[in-house]
Amino acid sequence: VDQCYMCDLCYMTKCPYTPPHEWNLDFPHTMLRAKAIKFKKGDVGAAEKFLASTDVHGQFAGIPIVVQAVNAINKTKVARSVMESVAGVDKDAWLPELATKRFRSAAPEAKATTVKDGEKTPGKVAIFSTCYINYNEPGIGLDLLKILDHNEIPYVIVEKEQCCGMPKLELGDLDSVEKSKEANIPVLVKYAKDGFAILSAVPSCSLMFKQEIPLMFPDDADTQLVKEHLWDPFEYFMARKRDGLLKTEFPQKLGNVSYQIPCHGRVQNIGRKTEEMLKMVPDTTINTIERCSGHAGTFGVKKATHQTAMKIGKPVFKAMATMKDGSPPDVISSDCPLGGHHIAQGFEVNGLGAPELQHPLSLVAKAYGLK
């Protein structure tokens, strides 16, 4: 149970006892049940609870001087040793920096939401920022907005939001997941009822609204409606392309790109949509790896599991280090921002070179000539 980090892939691709088998086994959620029992019994420590409270430590983001001080301190050996002994964060694990300006503050004003006649896919978008994009890497969210603007797709930023609840779900803290749901669903359902496509740039956050929360609240009509209107960004872009509404001229090539499909992207059953869009860019070669990086949220940074996470990811690091023709990649990329940094660290630890790390949305923005 402690080694399960809820990737869900056993249910999707490995386990032979899933429906229509008579045993009807959902192994990941059997593990979730065990985690919930463990949490209820009080067997989850305060350090783990704090590590999963992304809205708490993210509050420092965007505060002048404080951000720079926190980021600088977190890089020192002394601070990392203290964090390892007190909070259980491995001193060698990569940790995200806090952003000097939050995404929700840095985002341009919302575009007018006038929908063109004849559009099949939703012609307007509501952005669910996610904790990571808002507090740590707002540039990814800003690149998404540039792509939407370039394709003349009006957008708004969701009025208010809390953490989707995924870190709490991994702990078995289902009461906190319900609190997140009660905060987010009433806000998001308004956009769903108004015909918005709701986009989240982090696969785990999308999965919460597409799968986990709907499974927990199957009879909640608002939750099910949000599920129907929640899109992965590249799932949305490829739907727009099928409807002839996506611009497909890319003036900037990307070179050799090694791209990893994260587990929580695969579980959404949307196909290789990111790969499809990246392959549209001229003079660009994509080396796609469909295997778990091992990061798995807090699993990848905890002292008890960091080395295991690196071991799980080692086949991915090696596969991404060489293109099909034997040449090294210019860029490595993953839809999961945390997984991407974990892979970059794997390259460094295993002496596989130091290619540039870019999120797929940033790569597409570059290919469009927007950065």
Side-chain angles (χ1 to χ4, degrees):
V1 173
D2 290 341
Q3 292 296 315
C4 174
Y5 47 77
M6 303 294 294
C7 71
D8 286 355
L9 285 189
C10 60
Y11 183 84
M12 296 302 301
T13 64
K14 304 286 185 182
C15 182
Y17 304 115
T18 58
H21 194 279
E22 60 182 331
W23 291 0
N24 191 22
L25 179 63
D26 182 343
F27 188 81
H29 292 92
T30 304
M31 292 295 96
L32 177 60
R33 183 179 180 85
K35 289 175 185 290
I37 292 170
K38 179 180 177 180
F39 190 90
K40 282 284 189 182
K41 290 169 63 178
D43 293 338
V44 176
E48 284 190 278
K49 292 177 182 177
F50 176 74
L51 198 59
S53 302
T54 51
D55 274 331
V56 174
H57 33 85
Q59 292 303 313
F60 294 107
I63 304 176
I65 302 177
V66 174
V67 168
Q68 289 84 350
V70 171
N71 288 338
I73 292 170
N74 282 346
K75 292 178 181 178
T76 65
K77 290 183 179 180
V78 173
R80 292 305 302 268
S81 295
V82 171
M83 290 173 68
E84 183 174 273
S85 60
V86 175
V89 176
D90 194 288
K91 60 181 174 57
D92 295 321
W94 172 84
L95 288 180
E97 292 189 351
L98 293 171
T100 54
K101 192 172 185 179
R102 298 180 188 183
F103 168 73
R104 292 177 64 85
S105 301
E109 289 188 16
K111 303 295 180 180
T113 53
T114 302
V115 182
K116 298 176 182 178
D117 293 335
E119 292 187 323
K120 299 175 184 177
T121 44
K124 53 185 180 179
V125 165
I127 306 294
F128 183 85
S129 307
T130 78
C131 299
Y132 186 81
I133 302 299
N134 192 31
Y135 300 135
N136 303 108
E137 284 198 64
I140 295 172
L142 295 175
D143 287 337
L144 171 58
L145 300 187
K146 290 176 185 176
I147 296 169
L148 292 170
D149 197 30
H150 180 70
N151 281 283
E152 300 175 17
I153 301 169
Y155 63 80
V156 295
I157 310 300
V158 168
E159 181 184 4
K160 58 181 179 179
E161 65 184 75
Q162 288 187 15
C163 174
C164 67
M166 177 60 81
K168 299 293 188 181
L169 185 80
E170 292 171 347
L171 285 186
D173 183 1
L174 302 188
D175 289 340
S176 290
V177 174
E178 183 172 6
K179 289 179 182 177
S180 295
K181 173 257 183 188
E182 292 299 330
N184 287 319
I185 293 299
V187 177
L188 294 177
V189 76
K190 294 177 183 178
Y191 295 100
K193 290 178 178 179
D194 285 342
F196 283 84
I198 305 169
L199 267 59
S200 160
V202 177
S204 296
C205 303
S206 300
L207 188 66
M208 280 299 290
F209 294 112
K210 279 188 171 188
Q211 173 178 289
E212 304 299 349
I213 297 175
L215 280 174
M216 288 178 64
F217 302 95
D219 299 323
D220 188 305
D222 287 352
T223 295
Q224 301 303 322
L225 187 62
V226 170
K227 171 186 174 180
E228 293 172 11
H229 285 77
L230 208 294
W231 296 69
D232 170 89
F234 288 96
E235 175 190 17
Y236 177 77
F237 292 142
M238 287 300 96
R240 299 287 289 179
K241 180 177 181 291
R242 286 195 302 272
D243 292 338
L245 299 169
L246 186 79
K247 295 181 179 179
T248 56
E249 294 182 358
F250 299 93
Q252 182 69 45
K253 66 180 182 179
L254 299 174
N256 287 342
V257 178
S258 252
Y259 159 67
Q260 183 254 356
I261 306 175
C263 302
H264 284 172
R266 295 168 64 184
V267 174
Q268 292 178 45
N269 277 328
I270 58 176
R272 296 183 167 194
K273 302 305 180 189
T274 303
E275 179 191 60
E276 286 182 38
M277 190 158 189
L278 291 175
K279 283 187 171 180
M280 291 162 53
V281 182
D283 300 317
T284 297
T285 303
I286 309 299
N287 173 35
T288 301
I289 306 301
E290 196 171 29
R291 184 166 179 162
C292 182
S293 72
H295 187 271
T298 58
F299 185 88
V301 301
K302 293 175 183 175
K303 178 174 174 54
T305 50
H306 171 65
Q307 289 305 321
T308 301
M310 295 300 289
K311 185 176 180 180
I312 292 169
K314 196 167 185 178
V316 174
F317 311 151
K318 288 186 174 181
M320 293 182 72
T322 308
M323 304 296 289
K324 295 293 189 293
D325 62 359
S327 61
D330 301 308
V331 182
I332 55 175
S333 188
S334 173
D335 295 285
C336 175
L338 291 162
H341 283 283
H342 183 71
I343 292 168
Q345 184 178 23
F347 267 64
E348 179 184 351
V349 170
N350 291 281
L352 299 172
E356 182 183 10
L357 172 65
Q358 287 282 331
H359 191 274
L361 288 169
S362 299
L363 288 176
V364 171
K366 178 182 177 182
Y368 272 133
L370 305 176
K371 55 184 300 182

